[in-house]
Amino acid sequence: MHSSAKSSVLVIYTGGTIGMIKDQETGVLQPFNFDNVYEHMPSLRLFDFSIENYCFDPVIDSSNMQPKYWEEIAGVILEKYESYDGFVVLHGSDTMAYTASALSFMLENLNKPVILTGSQLPLGMVRTDGRENFVTALEIASAMLDQTPVVPEVAIYFENQLMRGNRTIKFNAENFEAFRSPNYPPLATVGIHIKYNHAAIKKPNFRKLRLNANLCKDIAILKLFPGITEKAVRAILGINGLRGIVLETYGTGNAPTEPWLIDALSCAIKEGIIIINVTQCQGGSVDMEKYQTGLALSKIGVLSGKDITTEAAIAKLMYVLGNYKHLSDIRTMMVTPIAGEMSKED
Ligand code: ASP
């Protein structure tokens, strides 16, 4: 588009609220045609890099997100990797944290920015948050320091914060500040200047990008609550072909000590099902050695998800089960930080 431009960013438009504009004649909200991006947002011409796009056809509401679409996004990034300096993925906010987590495991040795953003109000509305989110995401995706991308990882930019993608949760359905990263500091905060937190940003490794497209969907989330019945737990653990469970526990990784629960979980683990313990709290970490109610889980082989989010645990389980054969390797990978998704041991 800009032939004299020094660098270029590929925008991958998957759908979501951000891409909606009003039809001039009917006034109805409809997906934005990115081929006309400079007409809709002339200020983008002020950037000294070019913007090209890849559009999903059809675009989707992110509630319909599926691993096959993650494969499409990651596949486009792999195919176009050498042609662009960075990538912006426009995505609905509802499942953005899952997609960002999945991409962080699928794109091994990523050394360029993949910045996901979206908005709470469509681009075509006067008070939209999409314009600022999009423009800043583009700027971050193209940012270089000493000819090296400043943010060589998968991140979410939303409402003045750049966050590591696999550390985020969508925590608010109403506010412009829709995302949080409870257990990891922001990668950048945005005001008049974009202030990068270089110490928190992943360092490039200069290895060749590799796509891990094989994801296992035979997994489930089991969220504990007072009064959960044995038949509910056994029904979930008895799902045909089940290979892994994200067990959402209380506080620092605690569960009732009722013998039927421990027995059901223990039998599943003996059958080779991976159970990863994630806290229901938004912040903080699993520590199964702290209370007797956690220790019982650790003793039967439940793995600690430490401070991982449920979203990242789901994506990691899909990736690890899809890419490793031996149970011991799978168990080791699940407790080892792979893409900055959990904090290292102190
Ligand atoms: N339901 C929409 C989606 O996730 C909401 C949004 O775009 O923020 O696609």
Side-chain angles (χ1 to χ4, degrees):
M1 282 185 184
H2 284 183
S3 51
S4 62
K6 293 184 195 90
S7 57
S8 57
V9 173
L10 182 69
V11 177
I12 301 174
Y13 172 41
T14 67
T17 301
I18 190 165
M20 296 297 190
I21 53 158
K22 262 196 191 135
D23 182 274
Q24 303 286 4
E25 281 158 28
T26 61
V28 169
L29 282 173
Q30 61 177 35
F32 184 84
N33 179 353
F34 266 88
D35 292 334
N36 304 329
V37 70
Y38 289 116
E39 260 170 53
H40 292 294
M41 295 174 70
S43 57
L44 294 181
R45 290 186 197 279
L46 299 174
F47 279 137
D48 64 350
F49 55 84
S50 71
I51 301 164
E52 288 172 16
N53 67 76
Y54 171 94
C55 285
F56 267 37
D57 183 16
V59 292
I60 58 164
D61 184 295
S62 81
S63 304
N64 287 320
M65 190 43 72
Q66 284 282 344
K68 67 174 181 190
Y69 297 127
W70 294 339
E71 199 181 328
E72 182 172 347
I73 301 168
V76 170
I77 293 171
L78 180 74
E79 192 191 319
K80 313 266 184 186
Y81 195 63
E82 297 307 330
S83 311
Y84 295 92
D85 300 285
F87 300 84
V88 168
V89 180
L90 296 179
H91 193 292
S93 61
D94 289 347
T95 60
M96 192 184 289
Y98 291 91
T99 298
S101 299
L103 292 177
S104 75
F105 299 116
M106 294 171 81
L107 296 168
E108 191 175 332
N109 300 326
L110 179 73
N111 286 308
K112 291 187 178 182
V114 173
I115 313 298
L116 285 86
T117 194
S119 66
Q120 295 283 57
L121 282 177
L123 261 184
M125 290 182 73
V126 180
R127 283 198 310 111
T128 184
D129 51 329
R131 197 167 288 266
E132 195 280 324
N133 285 349
F134 183 35
V135 169
T136 307
L138 284 167
E139 189 159 344
I140 292 169
S142 69
M144 299 278 224
L145 195 65
D146 300 332
Q147 294 182 321
T148 307
V150 177
V151 186
E153 61 172 296
V154 180
I156 288 184
Y157 178 72
F158 227 90
E159 189 65 8
N160 304 330
Q161 299 252 17
L162 183 72
M163 293 157 275
R164 174 165 292 166
N166 58 27
R167 291 298 196 135
T168 57
I169 51 170
K170 181 174 180 183
F171 89 106
N172 199 306
E174 161 80 17
N175 290 358
F176 285 155
E177 192 205 342
F179 287 88
R180 280 207 178 148
S181 168
N183 287 327
Y184 199 75
L187 305 184
T189 43
V190 177
I192 294 176
H193 302 288
I194 301 179
K195 289 193 184 146
Y196 290 100
N197 180 0
H198 294 283
I201 298 172
K202 175 191 158 268
K203 304 282 170 281
N205 66 15
F206 303 109
R207 292 200 207 110
K208 196 170 181 313
L209 180 68
R210 205 183 114 108
L211 172 58
N212 300 313
N214 214 8
L215 299 178
C216 170
K217 291 202 280 179
D218 292 315
I219 63 170
I221 298 175
L222 172 53
K223 181 169 183 162
L224 298 179
F225 57 90
I228 191 167
T229 61
E230 179 171 0
K231 67 179 176 198
V233 170
R234 291 210 190 261
I236 292 175
L237 294 175
I239 293 170
N240 195 12
L242 184 74
R243 297 194 56 208
I245 283 280
V246 173
L247 179 67
E248 278 201 0
T249 56
Y250 308 128
T252 53
N254 306 312
T257 47
E258 288 180 76
W260 65 261
L261 178 64
I262 302 301
D263 177 61
L265 296 172
S266 170
C267 287
I269 292 167
K270 284 187 188 133
E271 282 167 19
I273 293 172
I274 300 294
I275 303 187
I276 176 112
N277 187 349
V278 172
T279 175
Q280 291 178 15
C281 299
Q282 287 198 347
S285 182
V286 163
D287 176 1
M288 290 190 280
E289 315 299 312
K290 206 164 179 178
Y291 294 94
Q292 199 208 344
T293 44
L295 200 58
L297 298 179
S298 162
K299 279 191 176 150
I300 59 168
V302 171
L303 302 172
S304 174
K306 299 175 199 158
D307 58 355
I308 199 169
T309 62
T310 295
E311 291 85 336
I314 281 288
K316 184 172 180 179
L317 204 46
M318 284 187 178
Y319 156 71
V320 172
L321 289 172
N323 288 276
Y324 291 84
K325 271 206 184 89
H326 301 293
L327 205 56
S328 60
D329 292 338
I330 293 171
R331 291 179 63 86
T332 305
M333 291 307 284
M334 285 310 297
V335 296
T336 309
I338 302 175
E341 76 285 0
M342 48 168 59
S343 300
K344 295 203 176 88
E345 228 67 81
D346 295 327

Coordinates of all heavy atoms in Angstrom, one line a residue, residues 14-20 60-64 91-96 118-121 158 170 173 178-179, ligand 1:
T14 N -10.5 -11.1 12.3 CA -11.2 -12.4 12.5 C -12.7 -12.1 12.8 O -13.6 -12.9 12.6 CB -10.7 -13.2 13.7 OG1 -11.0 -12.4 14.9 CG2 -9.2 -13.4 13.6
G15 N -13.0 -10.8 13.2 CA -14.4 -10.5 13.5 C -14.5 -9.8 14.8 O -13.5 -9.2 15.3
G16 N -15.7 -9.9 15.5 CA -15.9 -9.2 16.7 C -16.4 -7.8 16.6 O -16.5 -7.3 15.4
T17 N -16.7 -7.2 17.7 CA -17.3 -5.8 17.7 C -16.5 -4.8 17.0 O -17.0 -3.9 16.3 CB -17.6 -5.4 19.2 OG1 -18.4 -6.4 19.8 CG2 -18.2 -4.1 19.3
I18 N -15.2 -4.9 17.2 CA -14.3 -3.8 16.6 C -14.5 -3.6 15.1 O -14.5 -2.4 14.7 CB -12.8 -4.1 16.9 CG1 -12.0 -2.8 16.6 CG2 -12.3 -5.3 16.2 CD1 -10.6 -2.8 17.1
G19 N -14.8 -4.6 14.4 CA -14.9 -4.4 12.9 C -16.2 -3.9 12.4 O -16.4 -3.9 11.2
M20 N -17.1 -3.5 13.3 CA -18.4 -3.1 12.8 C -18.5 -1.6 12.5 O -18.1 -0.8 13.4 CB -19.5 -3.5 13.9 CG -19.6 -5.0 14.1 SD -20.2 -5.7 12.6 CE -20.5 -7.4 13.2
I60 N -16.2 -13.8 12.3 CA -16.9 -14.5 13.3 C -17.0 -13.7 14.6 O -16.1 -12.9 14.9 CB -16.3 -15.9 13.6 CG1 -14.9 -15.8 14.1 CG2 -16.4 -16.8 12.5 CD1 -14.3 -17.0 14.8
D61 N -18.1 -13.9 15.3 CA -18.2 -13.5 16.7 C -17.3 -14.4 17.5 O -17.3 -15.6 17.2 CB -19.6 -13.6 17.2 CG -19.8 -13.1 18.6 OD1 -19.2 -13.6 19.5 OD2 -20.6 -12.1 18.7
S62 N -16.5 -13.9 18.4 CA -15.4 -14.7 19.0 C -16.0 -15.8 19.9 O -15.3 -16.7 20.3 CB -14.4 -13.9 19.7 OG -14.9 -13.5 21.0
S63 N -17.3 -15.7 20.2 CA -18.0 -16.8 20.9 C -18.0 -18.1 20.1 O -18.1 -19.2 20.6 CB -19.4 -16.5 21.3 OG -19.4 -15.3 22.0
N64 N -17.8 -18.0 18.8 CA -17.7 -19.1 17.9 C -16.3 -19.5 17.6 O -16.0 -20.3 16.7 CB -18.4 -18.8 16.5 CG -19.9 -18.8 16.7 OD1 -20.5 -19.6 17.4 ND2 -20.6 -17.9 16.0
H91 N -10.0 -9.1 17.0 CA -10.7 -10.3 17.5 C -11.8 -9.8 18.5 O -11.6 -8.8 19.2 CB -9.6 -11.1 18.2 CG -9.9 -12.5 18.6 ND1 -10.9 -12.8 19.6 CD2 -9.4 -13.7 18.2 CE1 -10.9 -14.1 19.8 NE2 -10.1 -14.7 18.9
G92 N -12.9 -10.5 18.6 CA -13.9 -10.2 19.6 C -13.3 -10.4 21.0 O -12.4 -11.2 21.2
S93 N -13.7 -9.6 21.9 CA -13.1 -9.7 23.3 C -13.5 -10.9 24.1 O -12.8 -11.3 25.0 CB -13.4 -8.4 24.0 OG -14.8 -8.3 24.2
D94 N -14.6 -11.5 23.7 CA -15.2 -12.6 24.6 C -14.2 -13.8 24.8 O -14.0 -14.3 25.9 CB -16.5 -13.2 24.0 CG -17.6 -12.2 24.2 OD1 -17.4 -11.2 25.0 OD2 -18.7 -12.4 23.6
T95 N -13.5 -14.2 23.7 CA -12.6 -15.3 23.9 C -11.2 -15.0 23.5 O -10.3 -15.8 23.2 CB -13.0 -16.5 23.0 OG1 -13.1 -16.1 21.6 CG2 -14.4 -17.1 23.3
M96 N -10.9 -13.7 23.5 CA -9.6 -13.2 23.1 C -8.5 -13.8 24.0 O -7.4 -14.1 23.5 CB -9.5 -11.7 23.2 CG -8.3 -11.1 22.5 SD -8.2 -9.3 22.7 CE -9.5 -8.7 21.6
G118 N -9.3 -5.5 20.2 CA -10.7 -5.5 19.8 C -11.3 -4.3 20.5 O -10.6 -3.3 20.7
S119 N -12.6 -4.3 20.7 CA -13.2 -3.2 21.4 C -14.5 -3.5 22.0 O -15.1 -4.6 21.7 CB -13.4 -2.0 20.4 OG -14.3 -2.4 19.4
Q120 N -15.0 -2.7 22.9 CA -16.3 -2.9 23.5 C -17.4 -2.2 22.7 O -18.5 -2.6 22.7 CB -16.3 -2.3 24.9 CG -15.4 -3.0 25.9 CD -15.9 -4.3 26.4 OE1 -16.2 -5.2 25.7 NE2 -16.1 -4.4 27.8
L121 N -17.0 -1.1 21.9 CA -18.0 -0.5 21.0 C -17.4 -0.5 19.6 O -16.2 -0.4 19.4 CB -18.1 1.0 21.4 CG -19.0 1.4 22.6 CD1 -19.0 2.9 22.9 CD2 -20.4 0.9 22.4
F158 N -5.4 -3.4 25.2 CA -6.8 -3.0 25.4 C -6.7 -1.9 26.4 O -6.1 -2.0 27.5 CB -7.6 -4.2 26.0 CG -8.9 -4.4 25.4 CD1 -9.1 -5.2 24.3 CD2 -10.1 -3.7 25.8 CE1 -10.3 -5.4 23.7 CE2 -11.3 -3.9 25.3 CZ -11.5 -4.7 24.2
K170 N -10.6 -11.9 30.6 CA -11.6 -10.9 30.4 C -12.4 -10.8 31.7 O -13.0 -11.8 32.1 CB -12.5 -11.2 29.2 CG -13.6 -10.1 29.0 CD -14.4 -10.3 27.7 CE -15.4 -9.1 27.6 NZ -16.3 -9.2 26.5
A173 N -17.5 -7.0 31.3 CA -18.3 -7.1 30.1 C -18.8 -5.7 29.7 O -19.4 -5.6 28.6 CB -19.5 -8.0 30.3
A178 N -11.5 -3.9 29.7 CA -12.1 -5.2 29.8 C -11.2 -6.3 30.2 O -11.6 -7.4 30.7 CB -12.7 -5.6 28.4
F179 N -9.9 -6.1 30.1 CA -8.9 -7.2 30.4 C -8.0 -6.8 31.6 O -7.7 -5.7 31.8 CB -8.1 -7.5 29.2 CG -8.8 -8.2 28.1 CD1 -9.6 -7.4 27.2 CD2 -8.9 -9.5 28.1 CE1 -10.3 -8.1 26.2 CE2 -9.6 -10.2 27.1 CZ -10.3 -9.5 26.2
Ligands
ASP1 N1 -19.3 -11.0 21.2 C1 -18.3 -10.2 20.7 C2 -17.1 -11.1 20.4 O1 -16.4 -11.5 21.2 C3 -17.9 -9.2 21.7 C4 -16.7 -8.3 21.3 O2 -16.3 -8.2 20.2 O3 -16.1 -7.7 22.2 O4 -16.9 -11.4 19.2

